[in-house]
Amino acid sequence: MTAELVRGQNHPLSQVRLTIRISAGVPVLTGAVLGDENGRVHGPQWVVRPGAPALPGVEVSRQAAAEHRLAVDLAALPEAVHRVDVFLALPAGTAGPLRFGAVPAPHTAVEGPDGTELASYTLTGLDAEAAVIALELYRRQGAWKVRAMGQGYAGGLTALLADQGLSEAAGLAATVQEATAQSLAHAVPAPSSAPAPQDVSEPQASHPQASAPQDTSASVPSAPGTAEATPSYDPQHPSRDGRNPYEAAPGVEPQPQDLSGPVDYTHPRRHSPPPPPPPSAVPATGGQAALPVAGDAVGWSMEERLYNQVWGMFEDLARTTAAYRSAVDFADSRMEREVDQALADPRDRLGGSGDTAREAAHARRTQLVDQARAALDRDLAQLTAEAEVVEPALPPAYAGWDSPVWHGYRVPAEPPMALRLGDLHLPESLPLRVPMLVRLPLERGLWIDSGSASTLDDSFPDSVELRYPAMEVAVALAARLLAVHPAGEFAVHVIDPAGAGARALLPLTGAGVLAAPPATGAAAVTQVLERLTRRVDLVQMAARAGAAASLPADVDAAQQLLIVNDFPHGFDDRAVTRLRYLADEGPAVGVHLLMVADREDAAAYGPLLDPLWRSLMRLTPVPDDHLADPWVGHAWTYEPSLVPGGSRVVQQVLAEVAKAQTKQR
């Protein structure tokens, strides 16, 4: 199954002969920069580009084109090469666009020799950048991986090459652009099947196959070296030049419905339903546009279509809210400018003319904001209608605990492609909430933050109050993971040194679904960490030797989840080191970490634990706006998916899991 990457995410490569396919809406040039073990580029001879399109193991296109296929043979690369950065750049000195924000989002895919797609990445969120590092292939401990980079440079190819440490960056960039210009006349045109610009004044159905939201808490940084600019959005029509269509040219009255050159944000992997018919086309008998349908997205299965549809709703909500906020900012700035201009003459500051100017400016501001709000409300109404159809159709892995799907629960025969961690919403979108889905297996561990936090009702629960709710969130996630995996393919371990989480753990311990009783005391903590560390080491060695079936009989090949409560209580320095090792190396070999901790409790370790916190996705037991989307960068409020009060659905589900585990043994 294809791994759909988000910026900063990596994925192991099972093949050494690869084809990297790049699709863009306009001609772009491509290349690759080779780096050694320390990331150093040894000179222009390590840059594969138009004019020098081939080096051992890498070959790129010789000209600018809208479609590219780069050939990579990792086994043929020089031994000193440990990194291959694949870049895109817009040709200079042409009539084409000067920034990636004015073109459709480029799509990249890594394929094996048989054409099987191993990983893909869509470069969303670009704005003023004229060059971007799209993908990085890198070697770590003898194994190759691909990382989605999306690191853009407004300074173009020169800035990109300079950031790679090349002192000859300007000259090399000029050489590349000159070689591209000579062949640009032969560039492959953009495919006719690319989505045409649409009138986005009506709610879009531009649903992507998208990334998980990014953690914007201080403990988790953004992608390395990224300084992403937020694109400008018009309340209804994202303008190609970034100008708000509500802002008229000098001396011209504003034209709110100016549709000059909207950028098409339709994701290439989702169906777009036909637009509703105009009023004149609606029969007098009361006909209306088609209602939303669950599974209205591309995919090989209903599960995949629903996953794509949910992520599409997430993106639609992000973009329509960005349009509304941009319109309000524009209306405010225009009102201030108009008032300043009207009162620039001291003679107009007193008397009726000044008051009239102020009132007129306020009225125009109110008109623009009301117009933008009407567009937002229309989009929210469509998204709400879609959510009301999609939510009841979600499978157990995606559904809330209050969904009827759990009442007919049966242990599945195969694992799901994604998991629901909670819900996301924006202040303008309430009560609409979008499920937060992440792909499985988890690429990084989870951290339920039990530290003090502010809530939506302006209360400030302290760490003591949040410890039990945080463990409830962890138990709900563990129960969901056990429920959505086949019997025997997922195991849960618990470290609870002081036994403080015993009450919250009752659903798991009472059902008997844990791999072993919760580890209490320093000796038991050490034993669990030793066992899981050994498993990681053995599975890594077996994978490198191509002998995955030769693991010792006492090594459980199932996916493993380790819940750690009350960290760092009961952990010595050696145990902390092992925990960091599991957080870094575990996910790639099926060992996942679920921490329930207050970072302040571990303050004595200082910066030593910073890499641990950064490696985990932070979640909270109470609503908190610490997550950001990958398109606009809104601060989204996360709410955990909890069991309704008084419900015994988790106990019933875990009872079925326990029965299946007993049969499996």
Side-chain angles (χ1 to χ4, degrees):
M1 183 178 293
T2 303
E4 298 147 12
L5 305 181
V6 304
R7 189 171 53 202
Q9 185 179 1
N10 61 51
H11 184 74
L13 293 172
S14 57
Q15 310 281 343
V16 294
R17 298 184 61 188
L18 307 169
T19 298
I20 300 177
R21 184 167 43 82
I22 298 172
S23 302
V26 297
V28 297
L29 62 92
T30 63
V33 180
L34 310 184
D36 63 15
E37 188 174 8
N38 299 315
R40 190 167 64 90
V41 181
H42 289 200
Q45 69 273 15
W46 275 34
V47 180
V48 191
R49 76 275 183 184
L55 285 177
V58 185
E59 184 173 358
V60 304
S61 302
R62 290 169 167 78
Q63 61 185 15
E67 300 283 339
H68 290 274
R69 298 179 71 87
L70 283 64
V72 179
D73 187 346
L74 300 174
L77 289 170
E79 186 64 28
V81 173
H82 284 251
R83 191 193 74 193
V84 179
D85 287 343
V86 178
F87 65 81
L88 315 178
L90 293 169
T94 69
L98 301 178
R99 59 189 182 90
F100 276 107
V103 303
H107 180 74
T108 62
V110 180
E111 299 176 345
D114 58 353
T116 302
E117 191 170 294
L118 306 176
S120 65
Y121 172 46
T122 301
L123 285 78
T124 57
L126 298 177
D127 184 25
E129 296 88 345
V132 59
I133 296 178
L135 299 173
E136 180 181 67
L137 311 180
Y138 65 99
R139 178 162 49 187
R140 182 176 182 182
Q141 297 179 346
W144 283 91
K145 297 183 179 182
V146 59
R147 176 183 286 121
M149 296 293 288
Q151 184 169 337
Y153 298 85
L157 191 56
T158 300
L160 185 152
L161 295 174
D163 194 43
Q164 299 291 317
L166 290 167
S167 58
E168 314 91 333
L172 181 58
T175 301
V176 173
Q177 294 287 5
E178 181 180 355
T180 303
Q182 295 175 357
S183 61
L184 192 57
H186 306 290
V188 179
S192 59
S193 60
Q198 301 176 4
D199 179 359
V200 292
S201 61
E202 292 300 321
Q204 286 287 331
S206 54
H207 290 192
Q209 207 159 337
S211 61
Q214 302 165 357
D215 190 344
T216 60
S217 58
S219 61
V220 182
S222 58
T226 301
E228 183 180 13
T230 301
S232 299
Y233 288 91
D234 156 80
Q236 297 182 7
H237 312 287
S239 173
R240 188 177 298 278
D241 60 4
R243 177 183 61 81
N244 192 312
Y246 283 144
E247 183 175 14
V252 181
E253 283 296 315
Q255 299 295 326
Q257 300 302 325
D258 180 9
L259 307 184
S260 56
V263 175
D264 176 26
Y265 287 111
T266 304
H267 193 280
R269 298 218 172 183
R270 185 180 191 267
H271 295 307
S272 294
S280 59
V282 178
T285 56
Q288 58 182 4
L291 296 175
V293 177
D296 179 28
V298 298
W300 293 104
S301 65
M302 187 62 172
E303 180 189 25
E304 186 176 2
R305 292 196 296 271
L306 286 168
Y307 170 83
N308 292 337
Q309 186 172 13
V310 168
W311 274 104
M313 294 164 59
F314 183 29
E315 182 181 13
D316 281 352
L317 183 54
R319 294 201 185 282
T320 192
T321 305
Y324 170 72
R325 292 180 180 179
S326 178
V328 173
D329 290 343
F330 168 75
D332 289 340
S333 62
R334 194 178 88 162
M335 180 186 69
E336 293 175 2
R337 185 174 66 250
E338 289 178 348
V339 171
D340 290 343
Q341 291 174 351
L343 303 181
D345 189 340
R347 294 170 296 181
D348 295 333
R349 295 176 187 172
L350 301 175
S353 60
D355 294 338
T356 301
R358 290 189 189 93
E359 292 174 0
H362 278 281
R364 281 190 287 271
R365 187 258 182 202
T366 301
Q367 179 185 8
L368 292 180
V369 172
D370 289 347
Q371 196 169 4
R373 184 70 215 193
L376 175 65
D377 289 342
R378 183 180 62 241
D379 290 351
L380 290 179
Q382 175 172 320
L383 287 170
T384 300
E386 188 172 10
E388 291 173 350
V389 172
V390 170
E391 188 71 43
L394 296 178
Y398 303 174
W401 285 110
D402 56 350
S403 172
V405 72
W406 290 108
H407 298 302
Y409 169 78
R410 294 292 181 271
V411 177
E414 58 183 35
M417 65 179 294
L419 186 82
R420 184 174 189 157
L421 294 183
D423 296 323
L424 298 168
H425 68 81
L426 294 169
E428 296 88 346
S429 71
L430 289 173
L432 175 63
R433 289 169 170 80
V434 179
M436 178 182 172
L437 304 181
V438 296
R439 293 298 297 264
L440 291 179
L442 296 170
E443 292 283 347
R444 58 193 295 201
L446 304 175
W447 165 33
I448 314 299
D449 189 356
S450 61
S452 59
S454 61
T455 62
L456 296 180
D457 59 1
D458 295 327
S459 63
F460 292 87
D462 60 22
S463 180
V464 175
E465 295 179 81
L466 291 178
R467 290 184 192 276
Y468 180 75
M471 273 301 291
E472 280 190 315
V473 174
V475 169
L477 287 173
R480 184 185 292 270
L481 283 164
L482 283 167
V484 301
H485 282 84
E489 293 191 15
F490 199 89
V492 177
H493 307 263
V494 176
I495 289 179
D496 187 20
R503 183 162 65 99
L505 288 167
L506 278 176
L508 298 176
T509 55
V513 293
L514 294 178
T520 57
V525 169
T526 300
Q527 185 179 9
V528 172
L529 292 175
E530 282 181 350
R531 185 166 62 250
L532 291 177
T533 301
R534 175 175 176 266
R535 182 194 181 280
V536 170
D537 291 338
L538 291 175
V539 173
Q540 284 182 337
M541 288 188 289
R544 290 176 196 142
S550 302
L551 291 170
D554 63 337
V555 175
D556 187 358
Q559 297 277 317
Q560 309 286 314
L561 176 71
L562 174 60
I563 301 176
V564 178
N565 184 39
D566 211 14
F567 178 81
H569 182 79
F571 280 73
D572 55 21
D573 290 345
R574 186 176 180 84
V576 170
T577 301
R578 284 180 172 146
L579 192 68
R580 287 184 53 187
Y581 178 76
L582 292 177
D584 291 338
E585 302 295 333
V589 291
V591 176
H592 311 284
L593 193 59
L594 177 51
M595 295 269 292
V596 180
D598 177 3
R599 189 170 181 177
E600 291 300 318
D601 291 343
Y605 286 92
L608 177 67
L609 290 183
D610 285 350
L612 173 64
W613 304 118
R614 284 197 298 267
S615 69
L616 305 174
M617 175 182 286
R618 177 176 174 258
L619 304 177
T620 54
V622 293
D624 188 76
D625 58 349
H626 65 281
L627 295 173
D629 63 76
W631 305 286
V632 183
H634 291 314
W636 290 76
T637 297
Y638 165 81
E639 294 185 24
S641 181
L642 296 175
V643 182
S647 172
R648 294 190 54 81
V649 63
V650 169
Q651 287 82 351
Q652 295 167 4
V653 168
L654 291 180
E656 293 293 326
V657 172
K659 291 178 184 177
Q661 288 180 346
T662 302
K663 293 179 181 178
Q664 183 73 19
R665 298 190 186 107

